[in-house]
Amino acid sequence: MTLPILSCSSVRKVFRSFERSPGWTGLWTSFFRRRYVDAVVLDDLDLRVERGELVGLIGPNGAGKTTLVKCLTGIIPVTGGSAQVFGCDSFELGDENKRRLSLVMGQRSQLWWDLPAIDSFELLSEIYQVPVERFRQKVKAYAERLEVADKLGLQLRQLSLGERMKMEIIGAFLHDPEVVFLDEPTIGLDLVSRDVIRAFLREINDQEGATILLTSHDLEDIENTCRRLLVLDKGRLLFDGDRIELQHQIVDERSVELHLAAEHDGFSEELAREIESFGARLVARTQRSLTFKVPSRSTQALVRRLFEVLEIRDLSIERQPLEQLIKDLFLRIKDRR
Amino acid sequence: MFHALRHHVAIARQFVRIGIIRKSQFRVEFLSQIVMDMIWYLFHILTFEILFLHTETIAGWSAPEARVFLGFLFVSDAFSMMWLGQAWHFGNDLKDGNLDPVRVRPAAGVFLYFFQRFSLEACFNMVIAAGYLGFALVKAGAVVLPESMVALPLALLLSFWGRVVLTVLYSIWELYFISSDLSQFSYDFFGAVVDRPLDIWPSRLRRLLILALPIGAAAHLPAVIALGRCSLLEALFHSGWTFVLGVLVFKSWNASFRRYESALG
Amino acid sequence: MTTSRLTSTAFGGLCRNLRLLLKVSEYELRKASVFRTGFLVKELLRGTTRAAVAIFVFRAIFQLRERSTIGPYDFAAIVQYLILAALAQKLCFDRRGIDLADQIFQGRITKYLVMPFSLFVLPLGRFVQFQATQLVAASVLYGALALFLPQWCPVPASLSAALLALTLVLLGSFCYFLMYLVVQTLAFFLDVVWSLLVMAAFITHFMAGVSIPISIMPPALQETFRMTFPYWSVFGAIEVGCGRFSMAEALHGVLVLLCWALATFFLYRFLWRRGVARYTGSGM
């Protein structure tokens, strides 16, 4: 078994702060005696990410997404357990391994604010030791791809939010990182900019095989980009799988509507029993259409069988938007608590 | 090691280039910082000149020798302003989580953070400071060939190294005591000690200031070396010791990041 | 509006601002004391090394001199002077006490401009907090000195002299506060004011006679500095407290400080109004 490119084993991260006591009395008493509060931001988290995966990390505010990214990139140490990148402790990564990863933070610029983007890129190329020719090719290709080629000479502070984020992304990919962490890269961006960035990330993952861990509150980012989902809440991993898996977990039944090529007289007893065996039930019918309610996990099998026995002209399967799935997941967790 | 050195020199070249680009945008700041440093030089020169109106020596330093001390103080300060300007922002950067890139990028964290803000105007101040140092050395009769060819470069290197080590040392305290502004406080607190020859202190305290904290390395020891007030062996010992202390300080700085919490969110 | 309504409106506004001032002072103290060790270390030790360095410089000078005085001071007198100068300097507002310039650059004052209060209350609250903290710190240090090193502890000429000296220092601190406020307000017009603040601190430090008494400087410098507020906030206050300046000179000092305070306050208001008029609120 190959080593995962990212792994967390019982990772725990705790931040300590103290409680504020109100008023002047509280101010004096808290100077001499404080009540400390431990905030458990990551709680016994286990995770493996293989090379080449494109993973989405979602969760409500305060779930621990950014903290997890910071632990994995070695910005902050874990309080317990171990976080590893390339098989090494993420907090003790050497320069050789740092050269293989990259980080983009949507809420914090990592390029130099008062410099033209191209100057920041040149500095990054020196830090990451990117050969000159390759650097020039990359900047040209990425700038054209992200439609900011004419903005490279402008100071970062003179760019719009979308343009700035595109520059951040170019800066992050100049050195061909093997692992890229993107923490809310589309925050505050318009729809067009988001689409451009999503397409760019998919291409990089497909063509260059970079492993990407993307956090976002915008579930369309995740839906349109990632194949694997990690759902985090209160520092714990609630779900790890793909969208279909999530759907199977959350959605009990799905609606399948068939449009037939010819008028339908009814099912044979045998076929009716077969349909029943999938757990499906017929909920509506017209002469040329049939609507079934089927358990989520049996949908694929039922549809395959129906294609074998019926002449189907058109088919539609009810698809829950990811946002709804996540909401339902959290509701279930809340009910259980 | 050589490869790492070349890498960092290449990054330093970029920092210089960026510093020059920056200054072309903020020309008023460029001029005001030159004036600011000149006022600081004048303040120190006036203080010593007024004191020497009332005495021949201060702790065994005559007026010409005190000028050499001041020359090294100015030169090391100009170096600090030239390369270590980012240190002024350390407290805020620590609180705001702006040290994240330092942790992620493949180069020495100390170098990437502290040396990123190259100041072109400090180059002008360096010229002025070096000019004053040269003048002071000549007046003190300290330019004695061929000894000075070894002593002076050694003194200058020690002066620059001392500044870097002190700057990083002050910031370590703030890594442990976040939100305390202790790095800026330390700079002010120990800055007053750096600004005068260490011979004003009792001998035990003087030894502590030279050996335990590299305060003497910024101006006192370089002046002592340049003036020939110590032997070459002593000069090499102090330089070597300060170098070792510096390496330990840098390692401690990296280790201190275990305390770093970044900014939440 | 009738006179009584105007008066009550003005009075109401004053009460509101006073309440706000208290609230801001509380908030500033809370902010400053988040990290307790750092707070104690900074507030107690701020400015003490400069005094210690100056004392040892003069010790070195006196050790080798044939005469036992420099100007009007013997060694004991100069040590006491430097201790008082350090205490006075502690009480004088520090240039890092407010960050108005950063707030202007970063557009963080925008929200205050639409609020129904005078933004001056915010830095003033910081001043009140600073002054209260430093008064306590200076008292603690003076008490410790009186307890452990009574032979070096400076004693005022009389209670009235001490109170007059304290008045000069506090007025002087207010002048420092206003001066830094004026410089920081230049952020509306200039890109960077940090170097101006540092220059102001150097110049006033020298003019205040913190490291060397002004009375041992050349007479031309003494006469020039006499008309400035740093002179009266440190050197002048010490001379009044030790009985070396007469009541008339002390009152002259108070007048100089009041004039500087008024002039600086009006300059601040002028710059603020001009600055707000051209403020775009963009920041970062």
Side-chain angles (χ1 to χ4, degrees):
Chain A
M1 196 162 93
T2 55
L3 265 177
I5 205 163
L6 300 174
S7 74
C8 292
S9 173
S10 303
V11 158
R12 194 172 160 77
K13 181 65 187 174
V14 179
F15 289 110
R16 175 168 265 219
S17 59
F18 66 91
E19 265 187 3
R20 181 194 173 278
S21 308
W24 285 96
T25 319
L27 176 61
W28 285 113
T29 53
S30 75
F31 192 81
F32 296 103
R33 200 176 56 201
R34 282 181 175 171
R35 202 165 151 255
Y36 288 95
V37 174
D38 283 341
V40 180
V41 180
L42 294 176
D43 191 3
D44 204 26
L45 197 88
D46 289 302
L47 174 65
R48 282 173 69 97
V49 176
E50 305 295 339
R51 191 174 288 277
E53 285 197 83
L54 212 169
V55 182
L57 178 61
I58 49 183
N61 293 333
K65 305 183 295 297
T66 303
T67 304
L68 178 60
V69 168
K70 287 181 179 176
C71 288
L72 283 169
T73 48
I75 290 173
I76 54 176
V78 298
T79 313
S82 104
Q84 295 197 335
V85 178
F86 309 121
C88 306
D89 181 346
S90 59
F91 193 70
E92 304 291 348
L93 282 181
D95 287 352
E96 274 313 307
N97 282 327
K98 285 184 186 176
R99 225 166 259 131
R100 298 161 70 191
L101 66 84
S102 195
L103 171 65
V104 176
M105 301 191 90
Q107 303 205 52
R108 194 190 307 282
S109 178
Q110 294 190 73
L111 299 182
W112 284 261
W113 188 252
D114 49 358
L115 292 179
I118 189 66
D119 288 308
S120 289
F121 295 157
E122 287 187 21
L123 176 56
L124 286 175
S125 78
E126 283 297 352
I127 291 172
Y128 286 97
Q129 297 180 285
V130 180
V132 174
E133 211 30 64
R134 184 133 181 84
F135 164 74
R136 287 197 187 120
Q137 279 168 7
K138 287 269 174 189
V139 169
K140 186 169 185 290
Y142 291 160
E144 279 170 5
R145 179 68 189 82
L146 291 171
E147 300 161 3
V148 286
D150 56 337
K151 311 278 182 190
L152 289 171
L154 296 176
Q155 281 182 15
L156 206 71
R157 63 181 184 164
Q158 292 174 321
L159 302 178
S160 70
L161 184 55
E163 289 162 349
R164 244 181 272 153
M165 192 45 57
K166 288 173 184 174
M167 296 302 184
E168 296 280 341
I169 286 174
I170 294 173
F173 283 96
L174 282 177
H175 58 285
D176 295 324
E178 292 171 43
V179 179
V180 184
F181 298 87
L182 298 115
D183 186 27
E184 299 192 46
T186 60
I187 195 167
L189 301 193
D190 60 74
L191 295 170
V192 174
S193 298
R194 281 185 206 174
D195 271 341
V196 168
I197 288 171
R198 286 170 199 161
F200 179 81
L201 293 177
R202 281 197 306 268
E203 272 171 37
I204 293 283
N205 177 250
D206 286 338
Q207 291 167 14
E208 304 195 16
T211 308
I212 295 177
L213 182 73
L214 170 68
T215 78
S216 184
H217 280 299
D218 183 345
L219 293 175
E220 272 190 43
D221 281 351
I222 306 292
E223 225 170 342
N224 293 337
T225 321
C226 306
R227 293 173 205 114
R228 180 178 164 195
L229 294 174
L230 302 171
V231 180
L232 214 59
D233 184 35
K234 292 187 170 42
R236 285 181 169 262
L237 206 54
L238 295 185
F239 176 79
D240 179 357
D242 62 25
R243 195 193 179 290
I244 305 295
E245 264 298 310
L246 182 65
Q247 189 150 278
H248 287 160
Q249 260 194 39
I250 301 300
V251 178
D252 297 328
E253 279 185 337
R254 294 175 76 178
S255 188
V256 176
E257 192 175 335
L258 307 174
H259 295 271
L260 304 172
E263 281 185 16
H264 181 253
D265 315 334
F267 300 127
S268 65
E269 262 188 48
E270 200 185 322
L271 183 57
R273 269 202 300 276
E274 229 185 307
I275 289 169
E276 255 185 58
S277 73
F278 285 113
R281 52 196 169 86
L282 186 65
V283 296
R285 66 190 289 177
T286 65
Q287 285 186 326
R288 287 206 182 217
S289 76
L290 300 166
T291 306
F292 293 94
K293 282 282 186 195
V294 58
S296 211
R297 289 194 183 279
S298 309
T299 312
Q300 196 182 10
L302 175 69
V303 166
R304 202 181 306 129
R305 183 64 184 132
L306 289 173
F307 264 101
E308 284 168 7
V309 299
L310 299 171
E311 260 189 71
I312 297 171
R313 207 183 68 196
D314 195 13
L315 167 83
S316 75
I317 302 175
E318 181 192 15
R319 189 176 188 272
Q320 289 272 27
L322 183 60
E323 194 178 322
Q324 191 58 48
L325 290 174
I326 300 297
K327 270 189 198 161
D328 288 344
L329 175 67
F330 282 118
L331 276 169
R332 281 197 181 188
I333 302 292
K334 192 178 160 192
D335 288 341
R336 254 184 248 154
R337 282 184 191 143
Chain B
M1 172 108 172
F2 177 69
H3 177 75
L5 189 64
R6 233 179 43 192
H7 179 210
H8 286 83
V9 167
I11 298 173
R13 263 205 325 263
Q14 285 295 327
F15 286 152
V16 171
R17 194 180 64 85
I18 282 164
I20 292 169
I21 291 169
R22 267 205 186 104
K23 282 310 148 181
S24 66
Q25 293 160 170
F26 298 109
R27 288 167 296 184
V28 172
E29 184 194 352
F30 181 88
L31 286 168
S32 72
Q33 288 207 26
I34 294 177
V35 171
M36 176 189 81
D37 268 10
M38 294 205 42
I39 288 175
W40 188 75
Y41 297 159
L42 198 62
F43 164 73
H44 280 289
I45 293 169
L46 270 176
T47 302
F48 268 94
E49 294 301 334
I50 289 170
L51 287 172
F52 278 109
L53 287 175
H54 301 280
T55 186
E56 298 288 318
T57 62
I58 300 174
W61 291 70
S62 64
E65 289 172 335
R67 287 189 198 107
V68 171
F69 170 85
L70 276 184
F72 276 106
L73 182 67
F74 297 163
V75 157
S76 79
D77 181 75
F79 172 81
S80 176
M81 298 299 277
M82 202 155 79
W83 283 107
L84 305 174
Q86 189 66 22
W88 294 106
H89 305 272
F90 186 76
N92 285 334
D93 285 342
L94 191 60
K95 277 180 258 183
D96 296 342
N98 292 334
L99 267 63
D100 294 356
V102 164
R103 288 290 307 156
V104 173
R105 292 195 174 134
V110 166
F111 180 79
L112 277 183
Y113 181 77
F114 288 104
F115 283 74
Q116 63 176 286
R117 196 176 278 264
F118 176 78
S119 167
L120 184 63
E121 61 273 29
C123 291
F124 282 80
N125 290 328
M126 178 63 89
V127 169
I128 296 165
Y132 183 81
L133 176 63
F135 158 77
L137 284 168
V138 166
K139 282 287 186 186
V143 183
V144 178
L145 297 170
E147 291 94 332
S148 300
M149 287 179 68
V150 173
L152 281 177
L154 181 66
L156 282 169
L157 280 171
L158 179 61
S159 171
F160 300 156
W161 180 255
R163 277 288 178 187
V164 175
V165 174
L166 278 173
T167 303
V168 177
L169 182 64
Y170 297 154
S171 72
I172 290 177
W173 296 335
E174 192 141 1
L175 272 165
Y176 279 92
F177 305 116
I178 293 169
S179 298
S180 62
D181 287 329
L182 276 178
S183 75
Q184 201 137 71
F185 169 76
S186 307
Y187 196 89
D188 290 340
F189 189 79
F190 291 107
V193 180
V194 170
D195 290 352
R196 298 289 177 265
L198 295 184
D199 290 322
I200 64 171
W201 303 101
S203 59
R204 272 193 197 153
L205 187 54
R206 187 167 64 245
R207 275 199 290 275
L208 183 78
L209 290 172
I210 290 173
L211 296 175
L213 298 171
I215 283 173
H220 173 83
L221 283 175
V224 161
I225 293 169
L227 288 165
R229 287 166 70 107
C230 71
S231 65
L232 186 60
L233 202 60
E234 272 181 281
L236 287 170
F237 166 75
H238 284 301
S239 307
W241 172 247
T242 311
F243 177 77
V244 166
L245 205 60
V247 170
L248 290 173
V249 165
F250 297 160
K251 284 191 186 300
S252 302
W253 193 80
N254 286 328
S256 304
F257 265 89
R258 290 226 160 250
R259 301 272 306 170
Y260 179 56
E261 292 187 339
S262 185
L264 287 179
Chain C
M1 220 185 230
T2 62
T3 315
S4 59
R5 266 192 95 177
L6 270 169
T7 313
S8 71
T9 310
F11 183 70
L14 183 65
C15 287
R16 244 194 334 270
N17 278 328
L18 276 173
R19 270 201 308 274
L20 186 60
L21 183 63
L22 268 176
K23 199 76 200 149
V24 171
S25 307
E26 181 207 328
Y27 153 72
E28 289 291 345
L29 187 57
R30 207 179 274 281
K31 214 170 54 166
S33 61
V34 164
F35 184 71
R36 293 170 294 179
T37 309
F39 174 74
L40 285 172
V41 165
K42 275 187 316 191
E43 303 306 338
L44 279 177
L45 295 184
R46 193 176 66 86
T48 53
T49 33
R50 212 161 279 286
V53 167
I55 287 169
F56 277 90
V57 165
F58 279 102
R59 174 177 169 269
I61 293 173
F62 275 98
Q63 270 178 344
L64 294 172
R65 278 176 64 86
E66 288 166 6
R67 288 196 322 222
S68 58
T69 59
I70 294 176
Y73 305 99
D74 60 12
F75 181 60
I78 214 156
V79 168
Q80 289 175 352
Y81 171 87
L82 291 169
I83 289 169
L84 285 172
L87 290 174
Q89 186 70 3
K90 265 186 93 48
L91 290 171
C92 289
F93 195 76
D94 188 68
R95 71 180 158 91
R96 293 199 190 95
I98 40 176
D99 62 349
L100 182 63
D102 280 342
Q103 292 192 35
I104 293 169
F105 289 138
Q106 291 165 19
R108 287 188 276 136
I109 62 163
T110 310
K111 56 184 181 288
Y112 299 126
L113 297 177
V114 299
M115 290 183 186
F117 79 109
S118 163
L119 199 135
F120 181 66
V121 173
L122 296 180
L124 191 62
R126 176 75 182 96
F127 171 76
V128 168
Q129 176 265 311
F130 173 90
Q131 218 55 75
T133 313
Q134 289 308 312
L135 274 166
V136 170
S139 308
V140 165
L141 283 175
Y142 186 80
L145 192 65
L147 201 60
F148 298 111
L149 293 167
Q151 70 275 28
W152 297 111
C153 184
V155 177
S158 63
L159 182 61
S160 58
L163 287 172
L164 201 47
L166 186 61
T167 306
L168 285 168
V169 172
L170 292 178
L171 265 175
S173 175
F174 192 61
C175 289
Y176 272 98
F177 163 71
L178 289 172
M179 175 188 72
Y180 291 133
L181 203 60
V182 161
V183 175
Q184 300 236 4
T185 311
L186 292 173
F188 283 120
F189 312 97
L190 301 172
D191 279 331
V192 175
V193 299
W194 170 75
S195 47
L196 295 176
L197 284 167
V198 172
M199 275 190 263
F202 286 155
I203 293 169
T204 53
H205 181 98
F206 190 71
M207 285 171 149
V210 175
S211 298
I212 38 177
I214 292 178
S215 48
I216 68 169
M217 291 186 190
L221 284 178
Q222 291 186 44
E223 282 310 306
T224 313
F225 294 168
R226 238 179 119 76
M227 295 311 293
T228 65
F229 71 85
Y231 177 97
W232 289 103
S233 6
V234 178
F235 177 78
I238 293 169
E239 298 300 279
V240 164
C242 294
R244 288 193 284 266
F245 274 9
S246 64
M247 178 62 82
E249 280 170 308
L251 289 174
H252 169 72
V254 170
L255 191 63
V256 167
L257 289 171
L258 282 174
C259 289
W260 272 96
L262 274 171
T264 335
F265 179 70
F266 285 121
L267 180 61
Y268 158 73
R269 276 172 65 106
F270 171 76
L271 287 172
W272 178 262
R273 288 207 174 113
R274 285 292 174 101
V276 166
R278 56 180 279 164
Y279 176 68
T280 56
S282 48
M284 282 171 66

